[in-house]
Amino acid sequence: MDMPSAQTLLDAITRASRDEPDSGIISAVNHGIGRAGIIPVWSGEGNVPTPEAFCRPAIDSLLKGETFYTWQRGIPPLRAALARYHTRHYGRPFDAENFFVTGGGMQAIQTILQMIAGEGDEIVLPTPAWPNYAGPMRLSGARPVEVPLDFANGSWHLDLDRLFSAITPRSKAIVLNSPSNPLGWTASLDDLKAVRDECRKRGLWIVGDEVYSRFYYGKAGETRAPSFLDICDTEEQLLLANTFSKNWAMTGWRVGWLQAPKAVGAAIERIIQYNTSGTAAFLQQGCAVALDIGEDFVAEQVARARANRDLVAASLREHAQIRFELPRGAFYMFFAIAGMKDSLATTLRIIDEAGVGFAPGGTFGPGGEGFLRMCFLRDPAKLAEAMDRFGKWLRTSRPV
Ligand SMILES: Cc1ncc(COP(=O)(O)O)c(C=O)c1O
């Protein structure tokens, strides 16, 4: 038999999986990964490994033989720990039955999208946004309706009238990621109420992504950003995606959760069954402990992120051609370079010429071109070195 050509094979897969553009973050990573001396700030993760105290229960569970198929909704101790964690942070009782354990925040997002939108449906999404929203929407046949925030007078602004005028009879949901990756923009309680009221009025799902809620640089004593949980009932048309990745330094574990009204629990369970058939039980044991004993670690991470944010901001302010808003949440700096037209080409040049790996702003959708993103939850000495190299590059080179 003659082997089919690569083109024949590509013609035999769905158009959506063939034509979906690569995430520009991954394009940058693929270009620079493994290069000697590169300082990568392209991905959204810190540089410290998971603390031993969260790893130990996972190792013990594995050695105890917890190696079988498990609950589709997540192991009961983890769901109970999630309810306790929310009760502590949101000041009212939560029920374990509203929590579903997923393969990372990413599978929580996938599950949400699969459950609420299909071919021909629309989902309203403020941008610049993490590309892992629009990409999976398109893969499932749904259309992301992207509404750019404005960057004016050095700050990002969400025009709610513009957002709501993007709703059509095909709309199923508004997705709001706050604090935002990549902007650090953080919704006020009034913004959240307005989105809630519009969704209630139009019968839409409120989809909240609050994975960075603890990385919030608010007033002293504030330990999280404003949340839909401050103003919504858990049994209303509300779905929240969350993850262990960021707060507890567990990106490689691939464990997250989804919070949903109990009425759709069986549907979520089916989607999980037909996708991953559940998340490894031994990993979930480590996650449960992280929730219960991880507060000091989270506080340390947030303090480090705040100090790093200020370090990076001070360095960027030295360059007249750079504009940015000091982020109020998350752990990214999203900055514009005057004259930059092609953020991906510029990102690749900076990797080649300065040995610093940013992510291109254009990949975050409308409003993102002309910007670069960097993650600042990194080792401060490496960050200082990255800023130094980038500063020298800016003085001698031009963005494209
Ligand atoms: C806005 C946002 N949501 C969700 C996630 C999901 O993270 P993970 O799949 O690692 O749990 C990320 C990760 O970067 C993110 O930035």
Side-chain angles (χ1 to χ4, degrees):
M1 183 194 107
D2 290 339
M3 281 300 141
S5 69
Q7 194 54 54
T8 306
L9 295 174
L10 285 172
D11 287 345
I13 66 175
T14 61
R15 182 197 293 258
S17 50
R18 189 179 54 232
D19 296 347
E20 179 60 30
D22 294 334
S23 155
I25 306 171
I26 301 303
S27 306
V29 173
N30 288 344
H31 187 76
I33 196 162
R35 293 206 187 184
I38 182 103
I39 303 180
V41 285
W42 41 46
S43 296
E45 63 184 347
N47 61 307
V48 297
T50 311
E52 187 179 336
F54 314 159
C55 297
R56 187 58 55 196
I59 296 166
D60 291 346
S61 159
L62 192 53
L63 295 176
K64 258 195 328 221
E66 290 183 343
T67 55
F68 296 96
Y69 287 133
T70 188
W71 277 270
Q72 303 300 285
R73 296 180 183 214
I75 61 171
L78 178 53
R79 299 179 74 210
L82 281 164
R84 278 197 299 280
Y85 173 82
H86 282 78
T87 300
R88 271 202 317 275
H89 285 286
Y90 298 91
R92 63 189 165 98
F94 282 81
D95 185 342
E97 286 305 308
N98 291 103
F99 296 97
F100 302 84
V101 179
T102 55
M106 194 54 235
Q107 200 207 355
I109 293 167
Q110 269 289 1
T111 305
I112 289 173
L113 296 178
Q114 212 171 342
M115 183 165 69
I116 65 171
E119 199 65 47
D121 292 332
E122 295 177 354
I123 296 182
V124 177
L125 174 71
T127 60
W130 191 42
N132 294 26
Y133 274 99
M137 284 176 201
R138 285 188 293 261
L139 282 179
S140 70
R143 193 168 80 86
V145 177
E146 298 172 308
V147 181
L149 281 83
D150 304 312
F151 185 65
N153 303 320
S155 66
W156 291 96
H157 172 71
L158 176 65
D159 181 337
L160 288 166
D161 292 334
R162 192 167 171 203
L163 186 74
F164 300 152
S165 67
I167 297 170
T168 76
R170 289 170 181 265
S171 304
K172 296 289 175 199
I174 297 178
V175 171
L176 201 70
N177 167 218
S178 169
S180 144
N181 169 11
L183 305 180
W185 172 86
T186 302
S188 67
L189 220 42
D190 285 342
D191 293 330
L192 298 175
K193 279 185 190 152
V195 170
R196 175 200 64 185
D197 292 347
E198 191 71 14
C199 286
R200 282 182 181 168
K201 193 167 84 191
R202 313 283 287 254
L204 302 182
W205 285 97
I206 305 164
V207 176
D209 178 328
E210 301 185 352
V211 312
Y212 297 103
S213 70
R214 303 297 306 278
F215 288 88
Y216 178 56
Y217 316 112
K219 297 193 201 83
E222 287 181 322
T223 56
R224 63 168 177 82
S227 163
F228 280 119
L229 291 174
D230 293 321
I231 53 158
C232 293
D233 193 288
T234 51
E235 303 310 323
E236 73 174 283
Q237 213 174 336
L238 169 72
L239 297 164
L240 296 174
N242 218 318
T243 181
F244 291 90
S245 289
K246 316 288 174 176
N247 294 347
W248 298 280
M250 296 172 110
T251 47
W253 291 52
R254 313 306 310 126
V255 189
W257 73 88
L258 162 51
Q259 191 171 345
K262 296 188 192 81
V264 298
I268 292 173
E269 188 164 11
R270 279 193 296 277
I271 295 174
I272 291 175
Q273 170 61 26
Y274 297 144
N275 276 289
T276 55
S277 300
T279 301
F282 65 91
L283 295 175
Q284 295 188 52
Q285 297 288 6
C287 294
V289 170
L291 287 172
D292 282 340
I293 67 161
E295 276 310 306
D296 288 351
F297 179 72
V298 175
E300 265 166 42
Q301 289 230 95
V302 176
R304 206 153 45 84
R306 187 194 278 261
N308 287 354
R309 174 193 72 154
D310 296 343
L311 178 155
V312 168
S315 166
L316 290 177
R317 283 193 194 107
E318 288 169 13
H319 305 283
Q321 66 271 54
I322 291 211
R323 286 175 311 129
F324 64 96
E325 177 174 14
L326 189 68
R328 289 184 56 217
F331 42 67
Y332 305 98
M333 200 63 88
F334 199 64
F335 56 92
I337 310 181
M340 180 169 66
K341 301 269 181 307
D342 184 338
S343 56
L344 178 58
T346 301
T347 298
L348 302 186
R349 274 189 58 182
I350 297 172
I351 291 171
D352 292 341
E353 296 169 10
V356 179
F358 296 120
T363 201
F364 297 90
E369 191 46 273
F371 288 78
L372 300 180
R373 185 196 77 171
M374 70 177 289
C375 169
F376 55 72
L377 188 60
R378 312 294 303 173
D379 171 40
K382 285 265 188 262
L383 273 182
E385 166 73 19
M387 298 321 289
D388 194 46
R389 288 186 195 177
F390 177 52
K392 287 192 180 113
W393 184 87
L394 273 176
R395 281 188 277 273
T396 51
S397 307
R398 272 172 192 279
V400 277

